Amino acid sequence: MSSSVVEEEEEMQCGSTLFEEEELQEMSGVNVGGGYVEVMCGCTSHRYGDAVARLRVFPNGDLEITCECTPGCDEDKLTPAAFEKHSGRETARKWKNNVWVIIGGEKVPLSKTVLLKYYNESSKKLNRSNRSQGTKVFHRDEFVGCIECGKERRFRLRSRDECRLHHNAMADPNWKCSDFPYDKITCEAEEERGSRKVYKGCTRSPTCKGCTSCVCFGCELCRFSDCSCQTCVDFTSNVKA
């Protein structure tokens, strides 16, 4: 038997052992793939209705969504937070409650399913790792400028989801105020006053301009294995080395 066939069988077995059969039996659209489990999911906007997609759960805790909201939609490899925003959900930042799967014919939030098991374990493992090293990973607030009006909008970077939202915004050369993930704003919305923008949340000094306590040059909280940017690729390669 060729090595490629053996690897494929091992991946399929890995996917099939992520969850017990009983845990998934009433979920819609279950598909066990190579090293992941895929299910139908969605997010509801009061204005646009249901946006349907497919969620893949990986053993390392990664969650990846391919949107199927319209036949021509080509959005794939979205994080749940990015899918929540893409669907037009009015109350963003709560993807664990806003993104749902169908269980027994009913919409059930991800937070009430077993599908976040590996995501939660990964987060806890990261926290334990930081504590064991005697360090607390902290990221100060950062600002992203709008390409249309030039106004800067504040991003909090206290969690992995918040770091990913900022990471994606920085990677988008056409980012604008209407893409702001936390509130529905336009370029007409006032920018923070300069006297307020100097406060970025550093634990050492409220008006710190950047120090070793609040500036991170790369960690598991702000670098992503499913991102193809050179910064994330280099970090992931170094971690594996």
Side-chain angles (χ1 to χ4, degrees):
M1 185 180 296
S2 67
S3 60
S4 60
V5 173
V6 172
E7 289 177 358
E8 183 176 345
E9 288 183 351
E10 289 178 346
E11 286 185 341
M12 290 294 290
Q13 184 177 9
C14 177
S16 65
T17 57
L18 287 177
F19 302 101
E20 297 294 335
E21 185 177 347
E22 312 83 68
E23 294 176 315
L24 305 175
Q25 63 182 0
E26 292 191 14
M27 287 189 189
S28 294
V30 175
N31 175 42
V32 178
Y36 64 83
V37 168
E38 183 180 77
V39 300
M40 172 187 163
C41 71
C43 189
T44 303
S45 163
H46 296 301
R47 181 177 181 182
Y48 302 109
D50 291 348
V52 179
R54 301 198 65 80
L55 165 69
R56 287 187 176 182
V57 179
F58 296 88
N60 65 354
D62 285 349
L63 301 172
E64 186 179 286
I65 293 179
T66 299
C67 187
E68 299 176 348
C69 60
T70 62
C73 183
D74 58 359
E75 294 286 348
D76 63 352
K77 294 187 177 181
L78 295 172
T79 63
F83 171 64
E84 177 189 48
K85 184 178 187 303
H86 174 70
S87 70
R89 176 74 190 194
E90 291 78 8
T91 55
R93 295 183 68 186
K94 297 181 179 180
W95 62 264
K96 292 181 182 180
N97 293 323
N98 291 335
V99 178
W100 43 259
V101 296
I102 300 293
I103 301 180
E106 300 290 334
K107 295 177 182 176
V108 179
L110 284 179
S111 60
K112 296 183 178 180
T113 73
V114 298
L115 297 174
L116 295 185
K117 172 183 177 181
Y118 297 97
Y119 173 86
N120 292 334
E121 287 181 355
S122 176
S123 297
K124 291 178 181 178
K125 190 178 298 183
L126 175 60
N127 291 334
R128 286 197 299 268
S129 174
N130 292 333
R131 286 197 297 269
S132 67
Q133 295 174 20
T135 60
K136 178 177 175 58
V137 178
F138 181 85
H139 300 79
R140 65 177 185 169
D141 297 350
E142 298 290 352
F143 289 84
V144 177
C146 173
I147 190 176
E148 295 182 350
C149 68
K151 294 177 180 177
E152 293 185 324
R153 306 302 182 184
R154 182 186 295 267
F155 280 72
R156 285 174 51 86
L157 282 73
R158 303 299 185 270
S159 69
R160 185 170 175 79
D161 290 333
E162 289 177 339
C163 285
R164 187 58 186 261
L165 290 173
H166 174 256
H167 184 79
N168 291 347
M170 289 294 292
D172 183 358
N174 298 311
W175 191 89
K176 49 189 179 297
C177 291
S178 59
D179 296 324
F180 191 58
Y182 302 130
D183 300 297
K184 296 294 182 181
I185 63 173
T186 66
C187 291
E188 301 300 319
E190 291 186 7
E191 183 179 18
E192 278 192 36
R193 296 189 303 273
S195 59
R196 170 60 185 161
K197 290 170 70 174
V198 299
Y199 294 93
K200 294 188 176 182
C202 177
T203 56
R204 185 185 65 83
S205 172
T207 58
C208 175
K209 295 182 180 180
C211 69
T212 55
S213 296
C214 65
V215 176
C216 178
F217 295 98
C219 70
E220 293 182 356
L221 199 68
C222 63
R223 298 292 182 260
F224 309 93
S225 61
D226 61 338
C227 178
S228 59
C229 80
Q230 195 60 50
T231 301
C232 287
V233 170
D234 290 344
F235 178 82
T236 302
S237 300
N238 290 333
V239 169
K240 292 181 178 179

